[in-house]
């Protein structure tokens, strides 16, 4: 039996759409805190490149996410970084995508390398430290406050469970 042909790559079609949805979510979180947009406005025109370093070659390629800061203090997805000064490059260690995904769910910060403008890096650090998605509030607008509270409680329980599983597995993986 001959080997199966490779699956056609959907990455060129799928990744920009996924990145656009991620930018919408980021902007939603930023817009909920007016101080965040105010802090970003002076950085309008600068670009930020998020690169997944060490991404396994066995997986479909993960293109860089390139964001530009708009005059409104929000983000837009760009096809290429802006040529002006003051850009920033953030490399996230993605050599173990499962660990990275579990860390995202459990709140563990990934290993990150930052290169570029110090002021821009400082503002991005402030955003990551101070902004949180209030998913319960957003769900309440869709399903009502009681179901939203129950769904949020389920999510917190699931996150604690995954954190416990990750903590138990960590010593075994280091041995």
């Amino acid at each position: 039996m001959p080997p199966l042909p490779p699956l056609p790559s959907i990455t060129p079609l799928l990744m920009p759409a996924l990145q656009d949805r991620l930018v919408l979510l980021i902007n939603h979180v930023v817009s909920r805190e007016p101080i965040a947009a105010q802090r970003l406005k002076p950085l309008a025109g600068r670009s930020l490149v998020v690169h997944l370093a060490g991404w396994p070659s066995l997986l479909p390629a993960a293109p860089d996410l390139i964001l530009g800061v708009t005059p409104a203090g929000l983000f837009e997805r760009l096809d290429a970084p802006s040529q002006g000064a003051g850009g920033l490059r953030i490399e996230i260690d993605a050599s173990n995508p499962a660990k990275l995904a579990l860390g995202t769910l459990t709140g563990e910060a990934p290993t990150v390398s930052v290169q570029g403008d110090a002021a821009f890096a400082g503002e991005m650090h402030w955003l990551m430290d101070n902004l949180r998605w209030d998913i319960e509030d957003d769900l309440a607008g869709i399903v009502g406050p009681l179901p939203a509270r129950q769904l949020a409680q389920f999510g917190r329980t699931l996150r604690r469970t995954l954190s416990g599983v990750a903590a138990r597995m960590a010593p075994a993986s280091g041995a």
Side-chain angles (χ1 to χ4, degrees):
M1 176 185 257
L4 294 174
L7 294 174
S9 176
I10 59 170
T11 302
L13 299 174
L14 182 63
M15 288 311 292
L18 290 175
Q19 288 181 340
D20 285 339
R21 298 312 176 267
L22 179 60
V23 172
L24 285 173
L25 176 63
I26 292 168
N27 283 335
H28 172 71
V29 173
V30 169
S31 68
R32 299 290 294 249
E33 293 292 335
I35 187 70
Q38 288 300 110
R39 292 181 73 126
L40 285 170
K41 283 181 183 181
L43 302 169
R46 297 186 188 192
S47 62
L48 163 72
V49 177
V50 180
H51 175 73
L52 297 177
W55 187 257
S57 60
L58 294 174
L59 296 175
D64 291 346
L65 174 61
I66 305 168
L67 300 173
V69 180
T70 69
L74 297 173
F75 293 100
E76 64 181 341
R77 187 178 66 80
L78 303 174
D79 292 325
S82 60
Q83 297 302 315
L88 194 63
R89 180 178 176 86
I90 299 176
E91 292 189 2
I92 300 171
D93 178 15
S95 56
N96 185 340
K99 181 180 176 185
L100 181 64
L102 186 59
T104 301
L105 290 174
T106 62
E108 180 184 336
T111 303
V112 174
S113 167
V114 179
Q115 303 160 351
D117 182 70
F120 195 2
E123 292 303 325
M124 293 308 299
H125 183 41
W126 185 90
L127 290 175
M128 290 188 286
D129 279 351
N130 293 286
L131 293 182
R132 298 289 176 262
W133 180 19
D134 187 355
I135 192 167
E136 185 174 342
D137 187 53
D138 287 343
L139 283 171
I142 298 170
V143 298
L146 183 60
R149 188 172 303 118
Q150 291 170 338
L151 286 169
Q153 183 177 356
F154 172 75
R156 286 188 292 272
T157 302
L158 180 61
R159 188 171 87 190
R160 281 193 304 272
T161 302
L162 289 174
S163 293
V165 169
R168 285 192 299 278
M169 292 177 69
S173 64

